[in-house]
Amino acid sequence: MSTPRAKPKYYLTTPLYYTNGLPHIGHTYSTIVADVIRRYKRMRGFDVFMTTGADEHGVNVERSAIKAGKSPQEYTTAIAAQWRQLWDDLGIPGDEFIRTTDAKHHRTVQWLFKRCRENGFIEKGHYTGQYCVHDNAYVVDAGPGDPCPDCGRPTETVTEENYFFKLSEFQQRLLDFYAANPDFIRPESRRNEVLSFVQGGLKNLSITRTTIRWGIPVPGEAPHVFYVWFDALIGYLSAVGGPEFDERGLWPADLHMVGKEIIRFHAVYWPAFLMAAELPLPKQIWAHGWLLFDSEKMSKSRGNVVRPRPIVSVLGIEPLRYYLLREIVFGQDGSFSYDALVGRYNSDLANGLGNLASRTLTMIERYFGGEIPTPPGYGALGNTSGTADFATEALTRITQLYDRFSFSLALEAIWEQVASIDKYLTIEKPWTLAEQPENRERLAKVLYTAAEGLRIVTALAHPVLPQSTEKIWRQLGQTTPLAGVQMDLISWGQLKPGTKIGKLEGIFPRVEKSEAIERIEAMEQEQSKAPEVVPAAATPAPAASGAAAAPAVAPAAKIGIEDFAKVEMRVGQVKFAERVAGADKLLQLQVDIGDEVRQIVAGLAQAYKPEDLVGRKVVVVVNLQPRKLRGVESNGMIVAASSGADGSPVLAGFLEDVPVGARLK
């Protein structure tokens, strides 16, 4: 028996992604949505566990491995590692990454098959018919060479001995279950699709293959291996204990997140398998739509794949998360475009939330010494702006939208509050109030109201924008991690006056649209040419006996456009310069880079006098990790050439006048 939980559990899964290629934006969308749900549910007090993973068996993978000159195990191990690394890099890893080649998964599949067989729902027979290799699916009512109704590729004729699952015996049981659990399949359009399919009659399903070797063997029944769709679905159970699922206390799943093209496998086959094995059924299956690029579903065969890494390299992961959840109505197909992505970034993130945080906190820093002001009547705040109603009205509405997975509407409602606070500041003009000593209390109320509204907006946006909202949270002087804040306990007035705000930094610097799209597309082209599987590293040959190995002279390494695109350089202007105490070569500079002033330590002291640098425009690398030189923090790097035998620095400059903050490309 499982140990009682202090919090209610919530177990959700992404699809187990097929390892015949690398992830594109469609796969990333599924995983991001699951991650948003995971973060939201934790902020609502649930003990959440999320599984993702890799589906590694089947003839399609076997053929891809042969084409790549690898064994299926080598091929899938390399691909699965890249999937897992991508989710880690994007900050969306599951709590469990299950591979269908894992020993614990093999054990669970064989155990569940045994239960179905003992309960009389497995029989041996022969199958002759059409099979779609790409979709790993048997195609009913198709002749030799007919196209697959799902992907359009030619089907193959297979004849082999199989074990069959008696799916036909579950038609009425499934219909009764759907009727008793109307929210089991969502959205409603997918539920209607499944109902129509089951009402049309179910045929027994082949669940083993004998013509391929790459699969989980059926114990004592060589050469049978399990059909990939019997195998892969069971991964959701393998991930949380398999035969000992009771000990983990996570099964049944509360939510399976899938793409609409695999709804039949999850909403018909999977519950039937579980019924046959007398195991609990998942509580809900949500099928989202496709991401369309050039009006077509993304796929490698069509050549219209969009990969996440170029976008993240140029804009970061948070704008991609926001765009996918805000632009696409969850459950429906949605069009993806770079133009809309960058447009959302600039309008909603840079000019919206980022600008609100910057202007509010900058004024608190300037007018109240960096402390949250005390408004008159604190504890019983008035509401002349309408902003304080946020706590009782919008908070409730937004959590209800999150609960229904109406992410687009939830974000729309949050950004309505961002606009409301911005409008409030525009009307109240705190910068004018600051010049009028008699309006000091009113100024305090205005900036407190804006900061408190910002605090609540930040908490509500956290599931979608976890990194940037945590930064704003810290800048508001909050010390409790934002992820641990319970949404149900948020109320107006919890921002304590006198709180010292944190170090201010820009969150979403505005980007030039055409330049950003150009960089993303260039990197996408580079990635499309790269091999999908990283070959194993060659083993170096040992040095000759009795002689020291000569050091190898490495040629100048070439980098791809994606590496260069990671470096962000801007035009900066030196506002202040002085020597670093105890250092002969170092100068401490304050450099204006457009949206903020950076402190940078540079080795320029032997070539330039501090006073000669003030007012000079320089090239600054702005996206380096901060580091300390002689105890002084440096947040960026000045670009210079080395001149002469002594390597004296010569600053990079411009012949024409260039505005401060302009990006180099």
Side-chain angles (χ1 to χ4, degrees), residues 490-507:
I490 295 173
S491 63
W492 186 269
Q494 292 174 333
L495 182 59
K496 186 177 178 181
T499 300
K500 186 70 176 175
I501 66 174
K503 181 181 177 182
L504 305 187
E505 59 176 313
I507 303 298

Side-chain angles (χ1 to χ4, degrees), residues 355-416:
N355 182 60
L356 175 63
S358 176
R359 69 192 301 215
T360 299
L361 293 166
T362 297
M363 286 189 285
I364 290 174
E365 177 73 39
R366 183 177 301 158
Y367 303 141
F368 289 95
E371 292 186 357
I372 302 296
T374 304
Y378 175 71
L381 292 173
N383 185 26
T384 58
S385 67
T387 306
D389 277 342
F390 190 54
T392 55
E393 296 177 9
L395 244 172
T396 300
R397 181 162 67 99
I398 289 164
T399 53
Q400 288 174 345
L401 290 169
Y402 268 130
D403 284 337
R404 299 200 299 266
F405 302 156
S406 298
F407 305 112
S408 182
L409 292 177
L411 290 172
E412 181 180 345
I414 293 170
W415 258 255
E416 285 175 359

Side-chain angles (χ1 to χ4, degrees), residues 238-540:
S238 304
V240 290
E244 293 78 39
F245 66 89
D246 267 344
E247 297 177 12
R248 295 284 300 277
L250 289 169
W251 191 261
D254 294 88
L255 175 68
H256 287 321
M257 181 66 59
V258 303
K260 69 177 185 179
E261 71 276 12
I262 54 176
I263 185 64
R264 185 184 305 171
F265 301 99
H266 286 80
V268 181
Y269 301 168
W270 180 221
F273 296 158
L274 292 168
M275 287 176 177
E278 298 180 342
L279 296 172
L281 271 62
K283 296 179 182 179
Q284 190 173 63
I285 298 167
W286 248 100
H288 64 73
W290 290 337
L291 291 187
L292 306 178
F293 193 75
D294 294 333
S295 301
E296 288 189 319
K297 178 179 181 281
M298 291 184 197
S299 77
K300 195 170 79 170
S301 62
R302 290 190 178 102
N304 65 346
V305 165
V306 174
R307 296 168 180 80
R309 284 196 188 276
I311 296 169
V312 173
S313 295
V314 175
L315 298 178
I317 181 59
E318 304 260 287
L320 178 59
R321 289 173 69 103
Y322 179 80
Y323 170 79
L324 292 175
L325 274 293
R326 176 67 179 85
E327 192 81 7
I328 297 163
V329 177
F330 186 62
Q332 299 180 16
D333 292 348
S335 295
F336 180 91
S337 79
Y338 294 130
D339 187 80
L341 168 65
V342 180
R344 280 285 181 194
Y345 173 86
N346 280 331
S347 64
D348 293 13
L349 299 181
N351 294 344
L353 180 60
N355 182 60
L356 175 63
S358 176
R359 69 192 301 215
T360 299
L361 293 166
T362 297
M363 286 189 285
I364 290 174
E365 177 73 39
R366 183 177 301 158
Y367 303 141
F368 289 95
E371 292 186 357
I372 302 296
T374 304
Y378 175 71
L381 292 173
N383 185 26
T384 58
S385 67
T387 306
D389 277 342
F390 190 54
T392 55
E393 296 177 9
L395 244 172
T396 300
R397 181 162 67 99
I398 289 164
T399 53
Q400 288 174 345
L401 290 169
Y402 268 130
D403 284 337
R404 299 200 299 266
F405 302 156
S406 298
F407 305 112
S408 182
L409 292 177
L411 290 172
E412 181 180 345
I414 293 170
W415 258 255
E416 285 175 359
Q417 298 305 316
V418 171
S420 175
I421 301 167
D422 261 330
K423 182 178 179 181
Y424 173 63
L425 289 172
T426 300
I427 292 171
E428 293 293 335
K429 295 182 174 61
W431 48 89
T432 300
L433 296 176
E435 298 173 354
Q436 304 164 349
E438 68 274 16
N439 283 321
R440 185 72 175 171
E441 285 192 347
R442 185 178 171 191
L443 175 64
K445 179 181 178 179
V446 169
L447 290 182
Y448 180 88
T449 299
E452 177 64 333
L454 176 64
R455 183 185 70 90
I456 295 175
V457 162
T458 299
L460 287 172
H462 181 69
V464 178
L465 302 171
Q467 297 172 12
S468 52
T469 52
E470 184 66 40
K471 291 179 182 178
I472 296 172
W473 191 252
R474 295 296 180 188
Q475 290 182 46
L476 281 163
Q478 305 304 293
T479 56
T480 302
L482 181 49
V485 170
Q486 296 298 296
M487 282 192 182
D488 295 336
L489 301 179
I490 295 173
S491 63
W492 186 269
Q494 292 174 333
L495 182 59
K496 186 177 178 181
T499 300
K500 186 70 176 175
I501 66 174
K503 181 181 177 182
L504 305 187
E505 59 176 313
I507 303 298
F508 295 111
R510 186 174 174 82
V511 301
E512 200 281 312
K513 180 185 283 190
S514 60
E515 176 187 333
I517 293 173
E518 182 182 313
R519 292 169 64 193
I520 292 170
E521 289 179 337
M523 293 170 64
E524 178 65 55
Q525 290 175 8
E526 286 291 321
Q527 286 205 4
S528 67
K529 300 173 185 176
E532 290 211 321
V533 180
V534 177
T539 304

Side-chain angles (χ1 to χ4, degrees), residues 67-84:
K67 185 177 179 181
K70 296 179 179 293
S71 71
Q73 186 65 62
E74 290 174 327
Y75 178 82
T76 56
T77 296
I79 290 284
Q82 293 186 60
W83 280 79
R84 188 168 192 167

Side-chain angles (χ1 to χ4, degrees), residues 47-48 68 84 95 116 131 163 177 202 214 237 263 272 302 336 349 362 369 405 474 486 497 517 550 575 594 598:
D47 183 5
V48 186
R84 188 168 192 167
D95 301 297
C116 292
Y131 186 80
Y163 276 98
F177 178 77
L202 298 177
W214 181 237
L237 183 56
I263 185 64
R302 290 190 178 102
F336 180 91
L349 299 181
T362 297
F405 302 156
R474 295 296 180 188
Q486 296 298 296
I517 293 173
K575 311 300 287 185
R598 293 277 189 92

Side-chain angles (χ1 to χ4, degrees), residues 59-103:
V59 64
N60 206 17
V61 169
E62 187 174 51
R63 291 179 181 178
S64 295
I66 293 170
K67 185 177 179 181
K70 296 179 179 293
S71 71
Q73 186 65 62
E74 290 174 327
Y75 178 82
T76 56
T77 296
I79 290 284
Q82 293 186 60
W83 280 79
R84 188 168 192 167
Q85 185 62 53
L86 178 65
W87 299 155
D88 287 344
D89 292 346
L90 299 186
I92 51 176
D95 301 297
E96 171 75 21
F97 188 95
I98 186 73
R99 296 178 58 190
T100 58
T101 52
D102 289 342

